[in-house]
Structure formats: C-alpha cells, structure tokens
Amino acid sequence: MDKKTPSIFILIVVVIAVAGYVFFVRNKSGGNYSLLPDSSVSPIAANSSGPDVSGLKTFRFDNFHGSIDISDKFQFQYPANWYNDGQYFSPQKIRYYDLYSVKAPIYFDLILVDIFDQTEFKYQIDESERAKPDSIGRIDGRDFRRYDLIDYGTYGGESAGRVIIFVGPKITVDGDEYYLVFHWEEKPLAETMPGNDVKILGEIISTLRFTK
C-alpha cells in the first residue's frame, strides 16, 4: 500500500466530518436563519424578549375551543396596524366568504396528528412545486419544517401565488397530539393584497415563544 494512502483516507474522513457538522449546526441549532423567509433583519425579533412596544401587539394562545389543558402555550408578536381575528392575521380587514374561505394572508392552526396526512396541508406540501428548497430548523428550541411552495390553482383554478407553510412541534390538548402549523399566501383567495409582505411572516415566526 502506498504510504500516502492512510493520509489521504484521514483527510477524506476529516472533510466529511466537517461538512456533516456544518450541515447539522445550520439545520438543528437554535438559530432561525435556515427557516425564516426573505428577511435578514427582523425588527420585530429585536423586541421579542420584552413587553409590547409601540407598533407591535402580542398574541397569546392559551385556550383551544374552551380547553386550557394545553401542553405548550405560545405567543408571538405581529404589527399593531394589522387586523387579528382569532387565528387569522391580515393588513386589511378580514373577510369571511364562508366557513372555510377567509381572506387573510397569515393564519395558524392545530392539526390532529392522526389525520394530518389526509389534510389539504399535506396534499399541498406533497403536490406543489417548490419556490425554494424545503428546510428544517429550530425556533425557541422547537423543530419546524418550512415549505416554500408555488400554488397553481387552489381556488377554482385561480392561484394563491407563493405559499409558505411552517409545520411545527406537537402540542398536546386534552391528551390528543396536534401539529402547530403556520400558513402564508401571497394572494389570499387569489387576490393581491396591499401590505401583504412575506417578510412579515418571517418576523412573526421569529418572535414565537413557548410556555408550559
């Protein structure tokens, strides 16, 4: 065997180890940069650890259909000039067309783990083209998966444009496990909405904090 062979082998092992470490740190560390869309500076995040400040409001989730038996309550901040109605957030007045059609670009939901694979969320994730590659990271110590999608006709053949879905940790309510999901649409109900900037989603997600 050539005397140089062991040295070359060791070098290859070191390169692989370093590459694996960098990938792990990028996707599994406490940092949020691998998840947040299109925003290198987050003005909301700069104030997220303190009390409400001018221009921001805090949303606190501590009740699920009347139950307070929730394993992980959470809160986040959003622009004070946005409208909020329950799980929905919008720069313009929130309109309800029917029970399932709501004109709001950002909303969150809790989806029962047992049926998640049969939901529209899962279908959209599986069938949509990607605007950017899928990524995984941690927000406030919890794993989130981020899907940056292109919608070609969710609403009667009309497109919602770019769609971003965050699928987060499991949260237990009354003994049942749910996935926490955040959803953003470029064109809610296939309509362009002034003030609907994808950067706002990144800023909101970056302020997410969990409490027991």
Side-chain angles (χ1 to χ4, degrees), residues 89-92 95 97 101-107 155 159-163 183-194 196:
F89 300 84
S90 174
Q92 297 187 10
R95 298 184 64 188
Y97 291 74
S101 300
V102 184
K103 190 177 180 182
I106 295 177
Y107 66 92
Y155 302 107
S159 173
R162 187 177 172 196
V163 172
H183 189 280
W184 172 83
E185 293 181 349
E186 181 182 11
K187 295 189 291 184
L189 297 183
E191 296 183 18
T192 300
M193 177 178 289
N196 179 26

Side-chain angles (χ1 to χ4, degrees), residues 171-193:
I171 292 177
T172 303
V173 182
D174 291 331
D176 292 322
E177 289 188 325
Y178 297 79
Y179 285 120
L180 173 60
V181 178
F182 281 83
H183 189 280
W184 172 83
E185 293 181 349
E186 181 182 11
K187 295 189 291 184
L189 297 183
E191 296 183 18
T192 300
M193 177 178 289

Side-chain angles (χ1 to χ4, degrees), residues 21 30 38 63 72 89 91 107 120 130 141 149 154 168 188 192 195 204:
Y21 174 79
D38 306 335
N63 185 295
D72 293 295
F89 300 84
Y107 66 92
E120 182 181 342
R130 266 49 180 171
L149 313 173
T154 303
T192 300
I204 288 174

Side-chain angles (χ1 to χ4, degrees), residues 17-62:
V18 171
Y21 174 79
V22 170
F23 177 83
F24 179 84
V25 170
R26 179 175 177 81
N27 291 284
K28 287 293 188 178
S29 69
N32 301 324
Y33 53 85
S34 65
L35 283 173
L36 302 184
D38 306 335
S39 179
S40 59
V41 178
S42 176
I44 292 183
N47 300 298
S48 61
S49 61
D52 291 358
V53 296
S54 177
L56 301 175
K57 288 185 179 179
T58 297
F59 178 90
R60 293 181 174 86
F61 178 85
D62 56 9

Side-chain angles (χ1 to χ4, degrees), residues 85-101:
D85 187 2
Q87 70 200 82
Y88 298 99
F89 300 84
S90 174
Q92 297 187 10
K93 185 177 180 180
I94 297 170
R95 298 184 64 188
Y96 291 82
Y97 291 74
D98 58 40
L99 184 61
Y100 303 103
S101 300

Side-chain angles (χ1 to χ4, degrees), residues 127-199:
E127 300 299 324
S128 297
E129 292 186 20
R130 266 49 180 171
K132 292 185 178 180
D134 300 344
S135 59
I136 183 172
R138 296 174 71 82
I139 298 174
D140 197 33
R142 309 299 174 92
D143 286 339
F144 275 81
R145 293 182 179 273
R146 174 177 175 265
Y147 304 93
D148 196 332
L149 313 173
I150 300 173
D151 177 78
Y152 286 112
T154 303
Y155 302 107
E158 296 184 78
S159 173
R162 187 177 172 196
V163 172
I164 296 177
I165 301 174
F166 283 85
V167 180
K170 295 177 182 178
I171 292 177
T172 303
V173 182
D174 291 331
D176 292 322
E177 289 188 325
Y178 297 79
Y179 285 120
L180 173 60
V181 178
F182 281 83
H183 189 280
W184 172 83
E185 293 181 349
E186 181 182 11
K187 295 189 291 184
L189 297 183
E191 296 183 18
T192 300
M193 177 178 289
N196 179 26
D197 190 334
V198 66
K199 291 182 180 179

